[in-house]
Amino acid sequence: MNASPAINPQLAPGIEQFVELCRQHSGSLFAPAAKVFISRAPGRLDLLGGNDDYTGGLVFETTIREATFFAAQPRTDGRFVLVNPSVRSMGWHERVEFTLEDLYRGGAPRNIEELRAWINADPNQNWIATLVGNLYYLKMKHPQAVASGLNMLLDSSIPLGKGVSSSAALEAAGMKACAAAYGIRIEGIELATQTQWVENAIAQSASGIMDQFAVIMGNVDSFTPMTCQPCIPHPLVRLPHGLRIWGLDSGVRHSVAGIEYESARAATFMGYQLICEMAGLPVRRDDSGILARYTDPRWDGYMARISPSLFRRDYEDALPKTLSGAEFLKTHPVHFDPYTPVRPEVNYPVRNCARYAVEENYRVQSFYELIRLAAAPLAESTLQALGELMYGAHTGYSDCGLGSAETDLIVELVRAQAGHDLFGAKITGGGAGGTVAVLGSDSAAAQQAFEQVVAAYRQQTGIAPYIFTGSSQGADAFGILEM
């Protein structure tokens, strides 16, 4: 292993510690004389647009300081050795070994259902799903390059279940480092779409592309606006001078594989299906992209393209407030989302979820333009408008069944600090727990008001919340470190 590479811990917090961890595994995991390829991907904080990515909306994210680090080194045989000290405290296997034969049998890709069954056979090692999926994808797309195994080391400072995209960071860091070890360069939208496929197809988590894009394309003190149709990036937007963002964890574990997220997403596509029928639009399945989806000749399958005024005028009142899966399936044997089932026993909030998809896109567009075009310092009216858009988004989550008592409490505690340099707050990511994003001034008054929110929340719930502050380089800005 080579001498210390040039690193910038100001832009990539935690990198010095991970390099030292790699050195500690020299000999026991890594061959001392061979190169090690290191990638880093941060978590993300969702300012606006959560749950609007799978309907084609604009999303507006920023990176956090906490990150996942991944190191990969080529082997001369077909074995994969993966070490992850991060999972020791959870009782999971921190060392996992497998071979190329577990991914490919007789020169052909293993059946995906069979691969999933193998991954999930041991609940103490099914955390490897996305990492195995990365290698499976690389072998499919680059069969000649992926001809041997890897030594791999993983460590992460991103807390799990807090709605800050620990899974996307794991996927991005792992894919980027493993690809580099095989001499393959993957970055940008290509990396985002490939890791989204892994999460959807292998890990069976029906995420949109928002998280992957943010952790890959983000940078320090910047927002990553993107229109998810399927992945149209816009120039990074700097955090305006005088503003500050916090993330306040509710202590309620979030998961995009949870029933609340699945139900809201399925309900949204049920609403889209019913709207297309009202509009007399033919809908077809499109398998031309990396992920299958359904399209129509007017909105191209994207609910976010429906204007709020048109939705209110022509469709909102005609949609059912709730619809059981059993009733929907009687007349709709095909569901227009390939990645969520319609469960007969579930009652779906179709109208509210369709409204959220339409209105959230409009809120994010308004938020984006206010941030991008406003002169510094931002006028008080602009700050109030930004806060109101965040509060509106939070209410939309609750309407979709994605709220929680704890995140509602945090938002109300922030609202109670109006006039003390805190402007808005909302639940983030997939909702149903997780983290609340808070927008305020970069001032002593705002910091004091935020600390009062934290103290009040701890007093009323008994939960000592994790606090996210600051940002860092995304995976592409960090690049690949060789040592």
Side-chain angles (χ1 to χ4, degrees):
M1 202 175 290
N2 297 330
S4 285
I7 53 180
N8 189 338
Q10 299 298 317
L11 302 178
I15 184 57
E16 293 175 315
Q17 293 89 334
F18 186 70
V19 167
E20 178 58 30
L21 185 64
C22 289
R23 287 202 188 91
Q24 291 171 14
H25 282 80
S26 180
S28 61
L29 173 65
F30 295 126
K35 272 188 180 181
V36 175
F37 299 83
I38 297 174
S39 179
R40 176 191 185 276
R44 66 94 188 95
L45 191 63
D46 162 42
L47 265 293
L48 275 183
N51 292 309
D52 208 28
D53 53 349
Y54 54 78
T55 62
L58 179 68
V59 296
F60 206 68
E61 318 300 305
T62 188
T63 59
I64 59 176
R65 290 176 57 84
E66 292 80 358
T68 294
F69 298 87
F70 200 98
Q73 181 189 64
R75 294 177 61 97
T76 56
D77 57 18
R79 292 176 60 229
F80 293 96
V81 181
L82 171 62
V83 175
N84 179 9
S86 306
V87 301
R88 185 182 308 151
S89 62
M90 307 187 75
W92 299 344
H93 300 323
E94 64 176 281
R95 184 183 178 97
V96 179
E97 299 189 25
F98 52 97
T99 69
L100 273 173
E101 277 291 306
D102 291 314
L103 309 179
Y104 261 52
R105 295 284 172 85
R110 194 170 183 179
N111 177 275
I112 286 183
E113 286 74 20
E114 185 183 336
L115 183 68
R116 289 196 207 112
W118 168 71
I119 291 169
N120 293 316
D122 184 348
N124 288 322
Q125 75 170 37
N126 61 10
W127 61 266
I128 69 172
T130 55
L131 301 177
V132 170
N134 285 344
L135 295 166
Y136 180 83
Y137 186 91
L138 287 172
K139 179 63 176 173
M140 279 197 306
K141 295 299 180 182
H142 306 275
Q144 301 305 314
V146 184
S148 62
L150 298 171
N151 296 318
M152 298 171 286
L153 179 65
L154 160 67
D155 197 29
S156 182
S157 61
I158 306 174
L160 300 179
K162 299 191 183 301
V164 291
S165 204
S166 58
S167 59
L170 174 60
E171 293 150 12
M175 181 76 89
K176 202 169 179 73
C178 291
Y182 287 123
I184 303 164
R185 181 174 177 175
I186 306 178
E187 60 188 5
I189 293 172
E190 181 186 15
L191 179 58
T193 55
Q194 290 177 0
T195 50
Q196 185 198 11
W197 180 88
V198 169
E199 185 157 4
N200 283 203
I202 305 299
Q204 291 186 288
S205 180
S207 71
I209 199 167
M210 173 182 85
D211 296 350
Q212 288 82 1
F213 179 83
V215 306
I216 293 164
M217 303 290 284
N219 214 328
V220 179
D221 292 336
S222 300
F223 299 107
T224 54
M226 174 189 60
T227 301
C228 305
Q229 297 183 18
C231 190
I232 304 170
H234 305 286
L236 294 182
V237 177
R238 296 284 296 178
L239 179 67
H241 178 73
L243 282 187
R244 185 174 179 184
I245 298 161
W246 298 264
L248 181 57
D249 171 46
S250 66
V252 178
R253 187 177 176 86
H254 153 81
S255 169
V256 293
I259 187 63
E260 297 91 350
Y261 176 87
E262 178 195 276
S263 175
R265 175 168 170 153
T268 303
F269 281 97
M270 291 162 71
Y272 166 69
Q273 195 159 348
L274 294 173
I275 288 172
C276 286
E277 290 170 3
M278 294 179 216
L281 294 174
V283 179
R284 66 176 182 86
R285 183 179 170 111
D286 179 5
D287 291 300
S288 62
I290 190 171
L291 291 170
R293 67 187 193 91
Y294 286 83
T295 69
D296 66 85
R298 187 174 183 183
W299 301 303
D300 193 26
Y302 298 118
M303 279 276 287
R305 289 191 178 183
I306 304 174
S307 73
S309 59
L310 181 68
F311 175 78
R312 294 293 299 271
R313 187 191 73 187
D314 294 347
Y315 305 119
E316 181 173 13
D317 290 341
L319 289 172
K321 287 185 177 180
T322 60
L323 183 63
S324 73
E327 286 297 311
F328 182 81
L329 291 170
K330 283 180 184 178
T331 52
H332 300 84
V334 177
H335 174 47
F336 286 176
D337 179 17
Y339 305 101
T340 54
V342 174
R343 302 182 187 276
E345 71 278 10
V346 174
N347 287 317
Y348 292 92
V350 172
R351 184 185 297 177
N352 285 348
C353 288
R355 183 198 303 125
Y356 175 84
V358 172
E359 292 186 349
E360 181 69 358
N361 182 52
Y362 184 74
R363 279 190 288 264
V364 185
Q365 289 177 339
S366 301
F367 194 96
Y368 172 51
E369 294 300 329
L370 286 171
I371 288 279
R372 186 172 68 93
L373 299 176
L378 274 63
E380 184 66 24
S381 58
T382 300
L383 296 169
Q384 296 303 323
L386 293 172
E388 185 57 30
L389 290 167
M390 294 180 72
Y391 288 132
H394 182 80
T395 299
Y397 267 79
S398 298
D399 290 344
C400 295
L402 291 169
S404 75
E406 291 82 0
T407 51
D408 286 349
L409 174 59
I410 293 172
V411 170
E412 289 311 306
L413 290 171
V414 172
R415 195 191 291 269
Q417 292 292 331
H420 298 280
D421 283 1
L422 296 185
F423 308 116
K426 65 172 283 289
I427 193 172
T428 64
T435 296
V436 170
V438 179
L439 178 68
S441 292
D442 187 13
S443 66
Q447 180 62 34
Q448 183 178 11
F450 179 77
E451 290 172 0
Q452 290 178 1
V453 168
V454 174
Y457 184 72
R458 183 187 297 116
Q459 182 180 30
Q460 294 186 42
T461 64
I463 298 170
Y466 188 98
I467 299 169
F468 297 93
T469 59
S471 60
S472 62
Q473 289 180 322
D476 276 1
F478 177 84
I480 293 293
L481 197 61
E482 298 182 16
M483 60 178 292

